[in-house]
Amino acid sequence: MTSAGEGDVIRDVLIVDISDFENRKHEIARQLYHASHNVGFFYIKGHGVPNKDINTIFNAGEQFLDLPADVKEKFVWVPDRYLGWRSQRDLESVTGNKLWEWVSFGRYGTGGYDVRKQKFLGSSWPTELGNSWKEQSLEFQAKTHQVAMKILRAMALALGRDEYEFVEPFDIESEENPSFMAWNWYPPVAEDTAKLPPRLHGHADMDIITLLYQRTGDTGLEIAPGKDVDDDPDLKQIGNAWTAVPTAKHWTPIDPREGCITVNIGDGLQWWTDGLFKSTYHCVRAPKGNDNRGSRMSVPYFVNPKLNYVFQGPEKKLPPLSGFDLLAKTGNAYEARKNDSEGKWRQKAYGDAHRNGQYASVEGAKGRETAVSVAAA
């Protein structure tokens, strides 16, 4: 069970222990089936990723985001690959606020395979941080990918499929591997702030599964399963994260748990299972009550099948879909919203909290905005 504050709803979010996996995989499969079908979010413990490695990768994210803006701009975000840096100013045109900054790197940095050209473009890494930064990133991706493969093997067993059906399409060494790691950074909130919109509005992930590292005390993540959402966006339309905004009366906090990785089902796995496993909406609320008002960071790892790999559910309720579709349709939907001059979706996303000029921010010396407060009405 997960805790809830006033106005929140308690939902059954399981903690699944995957230790001694080979001897317990059928037991694990049963638990994951329950969690994936009923909620779409769960915690994983016994994963084997050392705390020191997790701390190192959080520090690596800080190192990149502290670089000057003109350096980060060398790694501009690429919609087709969902890789690169998105500044708070860039994200403001899509989210409606300056409460979020993002950077993502895959197995080949921000480079990789170009499906439109059917050509591998090579790697691209921030040389300013040295080769050790690249090696830390690659090592952490590999360890997290191993955890993901155990989860997917157990899910295949839970569905009565071949245990390795969900493994071959995710070859981490393939030039077409599009799985990637990202850092979400949310600036601190001024102490006198009485009201702010969500740091990140409600959305569903586009991938197969997401493994999320959170630091103790960094609260704010909340979920609402699709059955509890008003005006539920059509999940048959890949890219809904940026083309529609789900709203819900009740959200459930998914606070960090010591020693656990938070995992959620993405649109791709819902597609692959003909809707049996649920892609669950989630958001990041602004600090409230006794929440920490300092900066917040999380590190998600998005698991995607190889770009040219085509998959479909066994009952063929939905048409075939490729790994490239998952990334490109979502990435380019983001670009379309970024260029939407009217921005009518913001009122739905933020309600009465959205007023022109309501949010203000201060530029940090190294290019990161350091505080956010509500301007006088």
Side-chain angles (χ1 to χ4, degrees), residues 21 81 139 165 199 255 268 281 314 324 331 353 357:
F21 179 82
R81 294 196 291 277
E139 182 180 350
E165 178 180 346
R199 281 168 154 168
D255 294 340
Y281 302 112
F324 177 70

Side-chain angles (χ1 to χ4, degrees), residues 19-278:
S19 61
D20 193 20
F21 179 82
E22 296 301 335
N23 292 321
R24 298 180 51 248
K25 59 188 177 184
H26 292 284
E27 172 194 347
I28 294 168
R30 288 190 293 271
Q31 295 179 37
L32 289 179
Y33 182 96
H34 175 82
S36 301
H37 178 61
N38 293 306
V39 178
F41 262 77
F42 49 90
Y43 297 102
I44 289 291
K45 70 176 185 178
H47 47 74
V49 181
N51 282 334
K52 65 178 180 61
D53 291 354
I54 297 172
N55 292 333
T56 294
I57 212 63
F58 272 94
N59 291 336
E62 294 278 0
Q63 290 170 1
F64 180 88
L65 293 170
D66 278 340
L67 291 171
D70 61 345
V71 175
K72 292 186 285 190
E73 286 171 353
K74 297 177 184 177
F75 303 92
V76 63
W77 191 73
V78 180
D80 275 1
R81 294 196 291 277
Y82 229 84
L83 298 174
W85 177 60
R86 294 187 287 184
S87 70
Q88 291 173 60
R89 292 188 183 281
D90 183 46
L91 287 164
E92 180 188 19
S93 61
V94 178
T95 63
N97 61 59
K98 293 181 181 178
L99 302 178
W100 179 33
E101 185 175 350
W102 153 294
V103 67
S104 53
F105 287 89
R107 195 70 185 165
Y108 306 101
T110 56
Y113 195 86
D114 187 325
V115 170
R116 299 184 192 277
K117 297 180 179 179
Q118 289 292 303
K119 180 181 179 181
F120 180 65
L121 302 180
S123 300
S124 178
W125 294 92
T127 56
E128 292 82 359
L129 297 175
N131 191 61
S132 62
W133 193 93
K134 168 188 170 182
E135 294 304 318
Q136 288 172 356
S137 175
L138 289 174
E139 182 180 350
F140 196 79
Q141 287 184 48
K143 289 181 178 179
T144 303
H145 198 82
Q146 289 177 358
V147 177
M149 293 305 99
K150 289 181 179 179
I151 295 171
L152 290 177
R153 283 173 59 194
M155 286 180 170
L157 288 173
L159 293 166
R161 301 190 193 182
D162 181 273
E163 178 180 348
Y164 292 93
E165 178 180 346
F166 292 153
V167 174
E168 188 278 329
F170 302 94
D171 178 8
I172 194 172
E173 300 298 336
S174 170
E175 290 184 347
E176 293 185 32
N177 164 38
S179 297
F180 63 90
M181 180 174 64
W183 288 270
N184 294 306
W185 185 78
Y186 306 89
V189 175
E191 288 297 327
D192 60 354
T193 296
K195 186 177 182 181
L196 277 175
R199 281 168 154 168
L200 177 57
H201 63 67
H203 66 285
D205 288 349
M206 78 300 183
D207 58 350
I208 301 299
I209 57 173
T210 304
L211 285 74
L212 179 71
Y213 295 90
Q214 303 184 85
R215 292 188 287 203
T216 302
D218 279 355
T219 56
L221 179 64
E222 298 182 328
I223 68 168
K227 62 185 177 62
D228 300 328
V229 167
D230 300 325
D231 300 324
D232 185 9
D234 183 5
L235 279 180
K236 294 180 182 179
Q237 177 61 48
I238 294 294
N240 78 84
W242 306 117
T243 56
V245 178
T247 57
K249 295 178 181 178
H250 301 290
W251 296 81
T252 297
I254 303 293
D255 294 340
R257 289 185 176 271
E258 190 70 32
C260 291
I261 301 173
T262 307
V263 181
N264 67 275
I265 306 302
D267 288 352
L269 190 56
Q270 174 160 304
W271 194 284
W272 209 341
T273 61
D274 292 313
L276 186 63
F277 287 176
K278 306 298 182 184

